[in-house]
Amino acid sequence: MPSENSSPLQRLSALGQSVWVDFLSRESIRGGHLQELIDRDAVVGATSNPTIFQKAMTTGDAYDDQMAELAAAGVGLEASFWALAEQDIEGACELFHPVWKRSEGRDGYVSLEVEPTLAYDTLGTYREAMQLHADVDRPNLLVKIPATRPGLAAIEDVVAKGRSVNVTLIFSLARYGEVAESYVRGIERLIAEGGDPAKVASVASFFVSRIDTEADRRLDQIGGHDELKGKLAIANARLAYEHYNEVFSGPRWDYLAGKGATPQRVLWASTSTKNPDYRDTLYVEELIGADTVNTMPEETIAAYQDHGDPQARLDSAMEQAHELFGQLERAGVDYDDLTDTLEREGVQKFSDSYEQLLQALEQKRRSLAPA
């Protein structure tokens, strides 16, 4: 139990939610900053994505030596990116390994995403996910796979091979249900083939703030429904958690758990507030619940440590959450179209970041080349 002098994030963790940081860089790994977050802010995992790597690799000089070596050896641009990224992920996995060991595999994970251009390629995604696991070769690696429809089969196949997965870019309740089913089927196949499900971990990354941003934009276009603004993201997450509790209980799951399988926890992603009218800890405060993860950018971690008020609120106001969907529909907001739009945009944003990253790395390589 936390003491009276515990920080807000320590008290939040005691309620059963894990805090992961939504950022990674070589400087933070080697300079001690990531270790500070672990020691001071109860951070027990880290996530990365193409946008995060773009920010990390194109500022400062932490990558310059390795980039120059790779260029001198004639390594191509994309292969150079993966060499840089994998070295960061390996370093972060080493830092978090004591957390992974202490928590018996519950936490201590670091996520690395498959190439974003593969989001609609089932076989390409599967092959790259397996290759990344082979290359990094750490028990606390999660390979990120987008929750597109083609991604669902890849998720199931990777899990069936005994590999751990972070399923990302989930926006809709229907798609979350399909993601959870893909994980369960993968575990069933793994057990049927004699594999050990205890070695497989997974989270389902459900995006939060972008839901409100898009819903509020549509409500503004319609006009006259201000009372519905800023509510869909939290309601959406609460109903996802309700489904999580249904899937990971009952006879089907109990059999798998008896073989050593662990539930695929829901992870709240995109939890910084985009609207300055909303309080900066909104998507932390309202989504605290047992057996969940919140991956926060550093500014949200700092804000919560300063003025967070941790209480388990995730499974409250469920009736109102259900009612909100009907209210939005009557107001003219098409939920399915909204979430489909966000999925397409999410894939595109990561693809754009990846392309921009490669362009920036090419410019940096030229600047490092000997005259």
Side-chain angles (χ1 to χ4, degrees):
M1 291 294 291
S3 70
E4 289 182 11
N5 297 322
S6 297
S7 72
L9 286 177
Q10 287 170 331
R11 298 200 304 275
L12 177 151
S13 300
L15 293 169
Q17 184 170 83
S18 299
V19 180
W20 294 3
V21 62
D22 195 25
F23 183 71
L24 203 60
S25 73
R26 187 158 300 182
E27 193 173 11
S28 71
I29 295 165
R30 294 183 174 176
H33 180 60
L34 188 55
Q35 188 64 53
E36 268 184 35
L37 292 174
I38 296 169
D39 297 338
R40 183 190 65 212
D41 296 318
V43 168
V44 291
T47 50
S48 68
N49 61 47
T51 304
I52 285 170
F53 276 127
Q54 181 192 6
K55 291 176 184 174
M57 291 181 182
T58 56
T59 56
D61 58 5
Y63 298 87
D64 289 5
D65 289 346
Q66 189 184 2
M67 285 175 65
E69 289 171 11
L70 292 164
V75 177
L77 194 59
E78 289 196 61
S80 293
F81 161 69
W82 288 108
L84 295 167
E86 287 171 9
Q87 190 170 119
D88 279 3
I89 296 296
E90 288 167 0
C93 282
E94 290 301 316
L95 272 187
F96 280 107
H97 189 265
V99 175
W100 178 81
K101 201 166 183 181
R102 189 169 62 245
S103 67
E104 298 181 330
R106 174 182 171 84
D107 285 303
Y109 290 96
V110 183
S111 296
L112 175 61
E113 188 155 349
V114 297
E115 185 181 320
T117 56
L118 297 172
Y120 301 107
D121 179 348
T122 300
L123 182 58
T125 295
Y126 168 77
R127 285 174 171 165
E128 182 154 297
M130 297 301 290
Q131 189 62 53
L132 290 175
H133 268 295
D135 290 346
V136 176
D137 194 24
R138 298 292 191 279
N140 54 331
L141 171 70
L142 295 177
V143 170
K144 269 186 168 182
I145 297 176
T148 57
R149 190 164 296 284
L152 296 171
I155 292 158
E156 180 181 333
D157 288 347
V158 171
V159 170
K161 292 296 183 183
R163 298 298 194 175
S164 297
V165 173
N166 175 344
V167 184
T168 189
L169 290 175
I170 306 172
F171 295 95
S172 76
L173 294 168
R175 184 53 52 84
Y176 168 62
E178 292 172 327
V179 167
E181 177 65 19
S182 293
Y183 174 71
V184 172
R185 281 204 304 261
I187 291 292
E188 287 173 334
R189 285 171 53 192
L190 176 63
I191 291 172
E193 292 164 14
D196 181 5
K199 294 180 179 177
V200 179
S202 186
V203 292
S205 293
F206 209 88
F207 279 55
V208 182
S209 65
R210 294 187 198 179
I211 296 277
D212 273 346
T213 300
E214 181 64 17
D216 290 359
R217 186 187 69 78
R218 294 184 181 212
L219 287 167
D220 281 337
Q221 285 182 332
I222 295 164
H225 296 281
D226 286 357
E227 76 283 358
L228 299 179
K229 291 168 75 171
K231 293 185 177 179
L232 179 57
I234 291 166
N236 204 40
R238 283 182 169 144
L239 298 191
Y241 186 59
E242 182 178 62
H243 188 68
Y244 161 83
N245 284 315
E246 291 168 358
V247 170
F248 296 102
S249 62
R252 183 187 184 191
W253 180 253
D254 289 347
Y255 170 78
L256 302 178
K259 298 289 186 180
T262 56
Q264 179 190 58
R265 287 184 293 170
V266 180
L267 176 151
W268 310 127
S270 184
T271 55
S272 61
T273 50
K274 307 296 189 286
N275 187 333
D277 293 337
Y278 302 155
R279 67 187 190 275
D280 55 3
T281 58
L282 174 67
Y283 301 123
V284 182
E285 213 73 277
E286 297 298 326
L287 300 180
I288 301 170
D291 300 319
T292 58
V293 181
N294 194 316
T295 181
M296 308 179 199
E298 287 193 70
E299 60 267 25
T300 305
I301 287 174
Y304 203 82
Q305 287 289 57
D306 181 65
H307 49 268
D309 177 27
Q311 295 178 43
R313 302 180 179 93
L314 181 55
D315 55 4
S316 64
M318 282 298 188
E319 189 175 337
Q320 292 94 315
H322 282 279
E323 289 172 356
L324 180 69
F325 280 74
Q327 292 168 337
L328 285 167
E329 185 179 1
R330 290 189 292 274
V333 175
D334 185 332
Y335 172 81
D336 291 336
D337 181 73
L338 183 154
T339 53
D340 287 349
T341 298
L342 288 173
E343 181 184 293
R344 285 195 307 274
E345 288 180 350
V347 170
Q348 190 61 51
K349 284 176 182 175
F350 282 162
S351 293
D352 290 346
S353 288
Y354 184 65
E355 292 303 320
Q356 291 161 14
L357 168 62
L358 293 179
Q359 290 169 15
L361 288 181
E362 178 61 31
Q363 290 174 355
K364 196 153 195 180
R365 285 213 311 186
R366 286 177 187 158
S367 72
L368 294 170

